Amino acid sequence: MTDQVFDLAIVGAGICGLAHALAAARRGKRVVVIDRDARANGASVRNFGFITVTGQQDGDCWRRAMRSRDIWAEIAPKAGIPIVQRGLLTIARRPEARAVLEEFCATDMGAECRLLDPAAIADRYDGLRTSDFAGALLSPHEIRVESRTAIPRLAAYVEETYGVRFLRGTVVHSAAPPALETSRGRVAAEAVIVCPGDDFRTLHPDRIAAYGLTRCKLHMMRVTPASFDPRLPPIMSDLGLVRYLGYAEQPAAAALKRRLEAEQGEHLAHGIHLIVVRSDDGSLVVGDSHHYADTPDPFAPTAVDDLILDEYRHVFDGPAPRRDEHWTGTYASAADRLMLVDRPSDALRIVLITSGTGASTSFAIGEEVIAELYN
Ligand SMILES: Cc1cc2nc3c(=O)[nH]c(=O)nc-3n(C[C@H](O)[C@H](O)[C@H](O)COP(=O)(O)OP(=O)(O)OC[C@H]3O[C@@H](n4cnc5c(N)ncnc54)[C@H](O)[C@@H]3O)c2cc1C
């Protein structure tokens, strides 16, 4: 299909593949990105576009989120990607949640974050049920992009700026450098990186099976509230403090978990936590839930959305928002790791983000994998 011999072929044009393409192209490599879909359609365009730092697990994940946030901030203006929101306000509805935030604040990760009392929250922001809160943590680190436009613009940026080639609508049947067999013929490349998202079965299924992965399905909504304070950063609440490992690994999280099990057992059973981010048109992206299966079912019961919006109504004042849109997304999940890099040979890498952290960490992972491949 092309006579060109590439230095590097990347399978998958989600954020993981694009991050590797950027890192390789910046080293002067001739890169081709191959994806089965005609346009981005995977987890990378279904997410919140929330580049989350505070709350990521201490250590590699937090460090990669900081680095990736810096790369997003550098690339976004060059690629015409608006930064829609900055920061994060994690609401503590309960004293047990505030205790987790206090412990977090005392760690190195909390150094630039601020704990706010309810009165300080009410001074800064309108529209929250502040009188029901025990406090909140304000983080300065995060940025939020609109994924459905940001991912295509990122692809256009690496294509136009670095000459990265894209072969879309092309399934890769085998990827063993120096050749890939695709639905449109052979592609020659000295090295290959496979970033298949949650497709574990098409390429190197035996290698991927060794990691015992499953898939996670999430419910997402776009809603329009009657009013919303545009000064608000992205919002999370108590349920997120027992899911996000940067908080959940604090000692005080055990008492919060016990209280949530007693008071919000149904939310926990559906893996629900609250993330609310705002778009430029004033609508909000609200989620999400977590259901795990090797093949997630295609059904999305409204009862799960209702539980997400129940938590929303404990955080925001005013009437229920209008529901505009609903979708689901899936990502790869592992019980024992947030990401994996498999090295079947010197010239082949398989990279999977096995948690809901790909928007937040892929740029750093791409830099690390490319540095290791070429050093
Ligand atoms: C609803 C939802 C909310 C999320 N929220 C956040 C968030 O707030 N913050 C955050 O950091 N992360 C979030 N995540 C996680 C993040 O979106 C993922 O970790 C990330 O998008 C994974 O990127 P990827 O490139 O690996 O996968 P994908 O975006 O799924 O891309 C994989 C690509 O590979 C292609 N492909 C696979 N196999 C082949 C083949 N054989 N031939 C050709 N093409 C192939 C597919 O077509 C696909 O385009 C969320 C995920 C979801 C679903």
Side-chain angles (χ1 to χ4, degrees):
M1 69 187 300
T2 164
D3 292 336
Q4 196 176 340
V5 177
F6 295 94
D7 296 320
L8 177 66
I10 294 170
V11 183
I15 184 60
C16 184
L18 294 177
H20 286 80
L22 175 70
R26 282 179 154 179
R27 288 182 166 236
K29 303 296 177 190
R30 293 161 302 160
V31 180
V32 60
V33 177
I34 311 172
D35 200 294
R36 63 156 61 93
D37 278 318
R39 62 193 178 99
N41 187 42
S44 301
V45 288
R46 296 172 187 231
N47 62 28
F48 295 93
F50 187 30
I51 319 308
T52 319
V53 176
T54 293
Q56 301 293 8
Q57 187 174 36
D58 198 4
D60 285 343
C61 190
W62 189 88
R63 175 185 56 74
R64 287 179 176 136
M66 282 293 256
R67 175 68 189 142
S68 299
R69 188 281 314 268
D70 288 345
I71 297 175
W72 272 108
E74 180 216 327
I75 294 294
K78 298 178 189 163
I81 299 171
I83 305 291
V84 190
Q85 280 181 296
R86 291 177 191 275
L88 164 65
L89 187 70
T90 303
I91 307 283
R93 290 174 48 209
R94 299 169 174 84
E96 290 86 346
R98 183 180 169 119
V100 176
L101 296 180
E102 284 171 355
E103 286 185 351
F104 177 86
C105 257
T107 67
D108 290 347
M109 297 183 290
E112 293 171 67
C113 299
R114 283 178 58 197
L115 205 55
L116 302 179
D117 288 328
I121 305 170
D123 278 349
R124 290 178 86 105
Y125 307 115
D126 297 326
L128 298 172
R129 298 178 81 96
T130 311
S131 55
D132 296 342
F133 299 164
L137 185 79
L138 186 61
S139 163
H141 299 305
E142 288 67 21
I143 58 178
R144 137 111 168 114
V145 298
E146 195 71 61
S147 290
R148 22 184 115 173
T149 50
I151 294 297
R153 285 182 191 169
L154 178 59
Y157 172 73
V158 295
E159 187 171 25
E160 288 157 15
T161 308
Y162 297 103
V164 171
R165 280 278 305 275
F166 280 83
L167 302 176
R168 295 194 184 269
T170 306
V171 184
V172 180
H173 297 306
S174 79
L180 300 90
E181 301 300 336
T182 82
S183 54
R184 293 166 63 204
R186 175 173 287 215
V187 175
E190 285 168 14
V192 175
I193 300 180
V194 178
C195 303
D198 63 348
D199 180 336
F200 310 148
R201 300 205 172 92
T202 308
L203 296 173
H204 304 286
D206 296 344
R207 302 284 310 194
I208 296 175
Y211 293 92
L213 305 184
T214 187
R215 296 167 70 202
C216 180
K217 178 182 82 170
L218 300 85
H219 281 228
M220 301 282 282
M221 282 169 274
R222 186 173 289 278
V223 306
T224 300
S227 67
F228 192 85
D229 186 343
R231 296 169 300 178
L232 278 167
I235 300 277
M236 293 176 66
S237 68
D238 295 19
L239 291 164
L241 298 179
V242 295
R243 280 201 75 87
Y244 270 72
L245 295 174
Y247 307 120
E249 290 178 350
Q250 303 302 325
L256 175 63
K257 182 105 187 277
R258 280 194 296 277
R259 186 152 175 203
L260 290 173
E261 277 163 356
E263 296 177 359
Q264 290 190 286
E266 210 181 346
H267 295 76
L268 292 184
H270 290 285
I272 287 170
H273 67 166
L274 184 71
I275 299 180
V276 178
V277 297
R278 186 174 55 82
S279 294
D280 271 343
D281 65 359
S283 67
L284 309 175
V285 177
V286 179
D288 53 14
S289 54
H290 298 80
H291 295 97
Y292 298 87
D294 285 347
T295 299
D297 69 41
F299 312 113
T302 51
V304 173
D305 294 350
D306 292 345
L307 285 169
I308 297 169
L309 289 175
D310 171 70
E311 180 67 8
Y312 175 99
R313 282 191 287 273
H314 280 96
V315 170
F316 292 95
D317 256 337
R322 187 186 74 213
R323 301 187 200 198
D324 297 327
E325 207 177 44
H326 162 100
W327 67 96
T328 60
T330 57
Y331 60 64
S333 176
D336 61 346
R337 66 191 72 218
L338 303 178
M339 52 79 73
L340 69 89
V341 181
D342 191 61
R343 298 172 182 78
S345 71
D346 283 350
L348 176 61
R349 302 288 179 274
I350 303 168
V351 184
L352 283 94
I353 318 295
T354 52
S355 60
T357 62
S360 309
T361 59
S362 284
F363 277 132
I365 292 168
E367 276 189 344
E368 292 169 28
V369 171
I370 293 298
E372 180 270 331
L373 183 66
Y374 289 110
N375 282 341

